């Protein structure tokens, strides 16, 4: 055998080097859409045992990959083609950065010898991605690819998690190199625990013990849920009987059915608490920036966060505990234990105030849930959905009223069992999130179900991904709350009048969608089951049938009163009132 033939046998191309490096770093999943020049990467991923999920839109693929990063605490890959493919994926990268989820996007690009010449789909991808990532780069050579892969994994998971981008040119993907010249790096270990200053921990404990109206505010995905700190936080809250209020995706870190949970008295708890233990949550729009009138003007905040830059943002904390949530919570437990058997009196006036508000709100919700008027209101529909759901299912929830009301109507008893629009308030994430959650359940918790409850407008963003769900035989239950619009829709007679009186572009309100659209027919085209429900009885039967079907995905299209809104409340999640 000649020297050239021997060299060819020992050669390896850039695509193979890339996926072997990803495999070495523990990457299990790759979502995306292949085409020139990344087809070889997708094929190589499967040959190396990385599961490839072929999707219909890069935007949904990037959402799915980021959700997998949240659920597994290690990055999945979103593979995209050059130019437009990357641009579509920027949405998921921005969402991952705002939600603090690990994600690696890998984009193909035109050959290096065509740089600045106007090559096929040429675009300044590394620069474009830099605004949406923690790290964005193009490897300098094929043999250096493993170095950049390890760095991307480390950057995406260390400190505050986020997105990273690697750009691989078309010629680098197919270029052959001697395998002996490639140095694969050891798997990046979990980042080391960071503990808070012990003095600050003591100050925090003394402040909590002095409080008359204390509250623990659990975090979004960037915090307690992602940190997998449920055991430590549960022990701390139970030990000192501290009432807690979870933000939406912090639900389940401590079970919603805990007697310490005061979600049903959210407004009262935030407005009157004098000391708040803020565990990994940011004082952004979701927490009204920590400012009056949503918060007590004299509130003392103990802020726990891994990101030093976040400490003091919008509201200067009384005590700053910079470190990992699990580590800091362990420190707080130890300090409380050293103080003796301290715990708050659950019969105190503060607890009585919260319990009275919880009971009042519960009664209001119960009354609306019993209303069987057709078309249904949100609470009546949600009551039937909630009754049918397995208690341990993963809930994906998005929309406007659909998501906001779902936060109160769909309890979460386990951590990381809720996925919604999150900090960025991104619509269109639902189907991608549900797809990722279903794959995660299949591989790690095979008996667990995934239920995606979303509005009709939200479904429209990435509805064709139901084909992806059906193609991979994932028994996701999609429940569409169909109110014919965005936030609120249009009734049949109003639509008919609009059609008769003039140009639809001028007469149909911008918030409206076509009435009575039969979305459930979409899943039937791909072999799934479709259900249409107008009454509580029809919804009950549809939910029971869908839950019992563990083989095929399903869509339940539930008609909601177009004018139905949430119950009256003192303020919304948003700072400004909605229309």
């Amino acid at each position: 055998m000649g020297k050239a033939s021997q060299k060819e046998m020992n050669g390896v191309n850039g695509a193979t080097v890339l996926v072997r490096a990803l495999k070495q770093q523990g990457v299990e999943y790759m979502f995306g859409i292949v085409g020139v020049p990344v087809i070889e990467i997708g094929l190589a991923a499967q040959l190396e045992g990385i599961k490839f999920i072929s999707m219909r839109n890069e935007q949904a693929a990037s959402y799915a990959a980021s959700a997998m990063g949240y659920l597994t605490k290690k990055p999945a890959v979103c593979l995209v083609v050059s130019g437009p493919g990357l641009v579509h994926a920027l949405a998921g990268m921005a969402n991952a950065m705002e939600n603090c989820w690990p994600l690696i996007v890998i984009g193909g690009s035109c050959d290096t010898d065509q740089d600045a010449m106007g090559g096929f789909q040429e675009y300044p991808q590394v620069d474009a991605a830099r605004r949406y990532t923690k790290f964005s780069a193009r490897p300098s050579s094929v043999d250096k690819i493993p170095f950049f892969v390890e760095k991307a994994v480390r950057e995406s998971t260390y400190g505050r998690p986020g997105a990273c981008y690697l750009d691989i040119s078309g010629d680098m993907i197919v270029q052959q190199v001697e395998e002996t010249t490639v140095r694969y790096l050891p798997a990046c270990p979990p980042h080391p625990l960071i503990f808070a200053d012990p003095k600050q921990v003591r100050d925090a404990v003394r402040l909590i013990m002095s409080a008359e109206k204390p509250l623990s505010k659990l975090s979004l995905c960037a915090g307690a849920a992602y940190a997998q700190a449920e055991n430590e936080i549960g022990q701390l809250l139970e030990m000192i009987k501290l009432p807690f209020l979870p933000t939406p995706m912090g639900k389940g870190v401590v079970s919603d059915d805990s007697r310490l949970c005061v979600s049903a008295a959210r407004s009262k708890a935030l407005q009157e608490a004098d000391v708040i233990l803020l565990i990994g949550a940011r004082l952004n729009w979701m927490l009204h920036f920590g400012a009056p009138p949503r918060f007590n003007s004299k509130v003392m905040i103990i802020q726990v966060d891994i990101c030093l830059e976040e400490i003091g943002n919008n509201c200067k904390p009384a005590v700053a505990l910079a470190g990992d949530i699990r580590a800091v919570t362990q420190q707080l437990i130890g300090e409380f234990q050293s103080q003796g058997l301290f715990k708050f009196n659950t019969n105190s006036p503060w607890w009585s105030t919260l319990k009275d508000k919880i009971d009042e709100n519960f009664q209001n919700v119960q009354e609306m849930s019993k209303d069987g008027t057709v078309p249904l209101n949100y609470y009546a529909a949600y009551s039937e959905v909630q009754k049918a759901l397995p208690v341990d299912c993963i809930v994906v929830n998005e929309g406007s009223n659909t998501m906001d009301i779902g936060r109160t109507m769909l309890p979460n008893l386990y951590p990381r069992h809720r996925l919604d629009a999150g900090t960025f308030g991104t619509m269109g994430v639902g189907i991608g999130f549900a797809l990722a959650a279903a794959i995660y359940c299949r591989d790690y918790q095979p008996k667990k179900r995934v239920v995606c409850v979303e509005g009709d407008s939200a479904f429209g963003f990435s509805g064709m991904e139901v084909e992806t769900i059906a193609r991979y035989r994932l028994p996701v239950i999609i429940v569409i709350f169909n109110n014919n619009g965005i936030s609120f829709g249009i009734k049949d007679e109003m639509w008919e009048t609009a059609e008769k009186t003039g140009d639809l572009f001028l007469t149909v309100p911008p918030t409206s969608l076509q009435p009575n659209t039969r979305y459930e027919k979409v899943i039937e085209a791909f072999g799934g089951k479709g259900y249409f429900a107008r009454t509580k009885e029809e919804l009950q039967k549809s939910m029971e049938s869908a839950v019992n079907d563990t083989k095929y995905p399903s869509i339940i299209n539930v008609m909601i009163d177009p004018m139905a809104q949430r119950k009256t409340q003192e303020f919304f999640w948003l700072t400004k009132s909605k229309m």
Side-chain angles (χ1 to χ4, degrees):
M1 184 177 293
K3 291 183 178 179
S5 298
Q6 182 65 45
K7 182 176 181 180
E8 184 175 341
M9 285 186 64
N10 294 334
V12 60
N13 65 18
T16 300
V17 172
L18 174 65
V19 297
R20 286 180 181 173
L22 291 168
K23 185 76 171 180
Q24 180 75 20
Q25 296 302 321
V27 172
E28 297 179 73
Y29 303 97
M30 184 179 288
F31 299 80
I33 299 175
V34 297
V36 176
V38 300
I39 295 174
E40 290 85 354
I41 294 176
L43 294 172
Q46 291 182 314
L47 286 173
E48 292 297 324
I50 294 176
K51 296 175 182 178
F52 190 90
I53 300 92
S54 180
M55 302 197 54
R56 304 301 295 263
N57 183 282
E58 292 94 350
Q59 190 177 82
S62 62
Y63 292 148
S66 64
M68 187 64 80
Y70 167 66
L71 292 169
T72 63
K73 210 177 178 183
K74 56 184 179 181
V77 167
C78 176
L79 179 68
V80 299
V81 299
S82 48
L86 172 65
V87 172
H88 293 167
L90 292 178
M93 296 159 73
N95 194 62
M97 288 296 290
E98 292 300 317
N99 284 341
C100 307
W101 292 354
L103 168 67
I104 295 176
V105 174
I106 296 175
S109 59
C110 67
D111 291 356
T112 51
D113 64 357
Q114 297 176 0
D115 281 349
M117 294 177 64
F120 175 66
Q121 294 184 333
E122 183 179 3
Y123 193 70
Q125 296 175 189
V126 174
D127 289 341
R130 193 164 282 131
R131 292 178 62 88
Y132 304 92
T133 58
K134 295 178 69 178
F135 173 68
S136 176
R138 172 189 282 188
S140 53
S141 59
V142 171
D143 61 294
K144 289 290 182 64
I145 288 176
F147 167 83
F148 284 86
V149 168
E150 190 277 341
K151 186 173 179 65
V153 170
R154 181 160 38 86
E155 289 271 356
S156 71
T157 54
Y158 277 33
R160 173 180 280 181
C164 291
Y165 174 70
L166 293 179
D167 191 80
I168 311 293
S169 64
D171 54 330
M172 190 177 291
I173 290 171
V174 298
Q175 181 184 346
Q176 293 275 334
V177 299
E178 285 277 2
E179 190 159 22
T180 55
T181 67
V182 181
R183 184 170 68 90
Y184 295 98
L185 278 68
C188 176
H191 70 79
L193 287 179
I194 300 172
F195 290 84
D197 181 346
K199 179 183 180 302
Q200 297 291 89
V201 174
R202 289 193 294 272
D203 289 346
V205 168
R206 281 195 287 266
L207 183 57
I208 293 172
M209 292 173 65
S210 69
E212 293 183 7
K213 297 180 178 181
L215 180 69
S216 175
K217 184 65 180 155
L218 297 186
S219 70
L220 270 166
C221 47
Y226 177 80
Q228 300 184 7
E230 53 268 17
N231 293 334
E232 291 81 2
I233 291 176
Q235 181 183 349
L236 173 64
L237 300 187
E238 188 62 40
M239 183 174 69
I240 63 175
K241 305 302 179 187
L242 182 62
F244 74 91
L245 179 63
T247 49
M249 285 182 51
K251 284 163 59 70
V253 170
V254 179
S255 176
D256 282 350
D257 66 1
S258 167
R259 64 188 184 285
L260 300 175
C261 181
V262 294
S263 289
R266 180 181 187 273
S267 300
K268 178 69 70 174
L270 289 179
Q271 288 174 325
E272 295 192 17
D274 58 357
V275 173
I276 293 179
L277 175 60
L278 190 70
I279 306 180
R282 286 167 282 173
L283 290 171
N284 54 20
W285 69 275
M286 295 199 75
L287 290 181
H288 317 291
F289 312 107
R294 276 60 169 174
F295 280 68
N296 181 343
S297 62
K298 297 181 180 180
V299 66
M300 306 281 279
I301 292 177
I302 301 164
Q303 189 173 5
V304 182
D305 205 291
I306 187 64
C307 181
L308 290 174
E309 291 83 352
E310 194 62 43
I311 301 292
N313 192 38
N314 293 324
C315 185
K316 185 178 180 180
V319 181
L321 300 177
D324 292 282
I325 289 174
R326 290 182 64 188
V328 174
T329 306
Q330 290 169 2
Q331 289 179 281
L332 290 170
I333 291 171
E335 185 62 29
F336 272 112
Q337 289 174 335
S338 70
Q339 297 291 334
L341 299 176
F342 172 82
K343 63 179 62 178
F344 288 104
N345 181 6
T346 53
N347 293 317
S348 67
W350 173 232
W351 264 111
S352 297
T353 297
L354 294 176
K355 289 175 181 176
D356 288 345
K357 193 63 178 178
I358 290 171
D359 291 342
E360 177 187 339
N361 288 338
F362 177 78
Q363 290 301 322
N364 291 336
V365 170
Q366 285 294 101
E367 289 177 13
M368 289 183 286
S369 298
K370 294 176 181 177
D371 184 358
T373 303
V374 177
L376 298 172
N377 70 59
Y378 286 94
Y379 295 89
Y382 260 124
S383 67
E384 296 304 323
V385 173
Q386 189 272 326
K387 290 174 188 176
L389 292 185
V391 295
D392 65 343
C393 70
I394 292 181
V395 172
V396 179
N397 197 199
E398 71 163 333
S400 179
N401 291 325
T402 302
M403 181 175 64
D404 287 346
I405 297 171
R407 286 167 171 164
T408 60
M409 292 295 292
L410 297 177
N412 290 99
L413 309 186
Y414 303 97
R416 295 169 298 283
H417 279 56
R418 179 182 173 87
L419 292 159
D420 69 18
T423 303
F424 212 23
T426 310
M427 290 297 100
V429 296
I431 303 299
F433 282 5
L435 171 73
I439 295 170
Y440 169 79
C441 289
R442 184 197 63 181
D443 291 350
Y444 290 96
Q445 302 183 56
K447 293 185 178 180
K448 197 177 292 291
R449 299 300 300 274
V450 175
V451 179
C452 177
V453 185
E454 56 182 359
D456 50 333
S457 173
F459 176 76
F461 281 83
S462 53
M464 189 51 68
E465 296 299 342
V466 299
E467 186 275 328
T468 312
I469 290 174
R471 186 187 341 132
Y472 290 111
R473 304 294 189 265
L474 301 170
V476 175
I477 302 170
I478 301 170
V479 183
I480 299 174
F481 277 21
N482 186 354
N483 72 339
N484 303 334
I486 304 169
S487 293
F488 53 91
I490 189 169
K491 294 185 177 182
D492 295 8
E493 56 270 24
M494 295 172 65
W495 178 272
E496 292 170 1
T497 300
E499 277 193 303
K500 293 176 182 178
T501 57
D503 190 337
L504 289 176
F505 296 110
L506 299 175
T507 56
V508 174
T511 60
S512 300
L513 301 173
Q514 181 166 296
N516 302 312
T517 299
R518 299 298 294 268
Y519 295 105
E520 79 281 1
K521 300 293 185 182
V522 177
I523 196 69
E524 293 176 358
F526 306 118
K529 303 289 183 66
Y531 304 89
F532 184 70
R534 289 184 178 275
T535 68
K536 294 187 71 171
E537 292 74 20
E538 290 172 348
L539 179 54
Q540 178 188 15
K541 292 178 181 178
S542 298
M543 284 298 302
E544 289 176 356
S545 179
V547 169
N548 289 330
D549 188 347
T550 59
K551 188 175 181 180
Y552 296 102
S554 58
I555 289 179
I556 303 173
N557 186 13
V558 188
M559 297 310 302
I560 302 293
D561 185 347
M563 296 294 108
Q565 298 288 307
R566 75 197 78 202
K567 69 183 178 71
T568 301
Q569 52 188 33
E570 296 171 38
F571 57 83
F572 299 121
W573 284 88
L574 292 174
T575 303
K576 295 181 179 180
S577 297
K578 295 185 177 182
M579 292 191 299

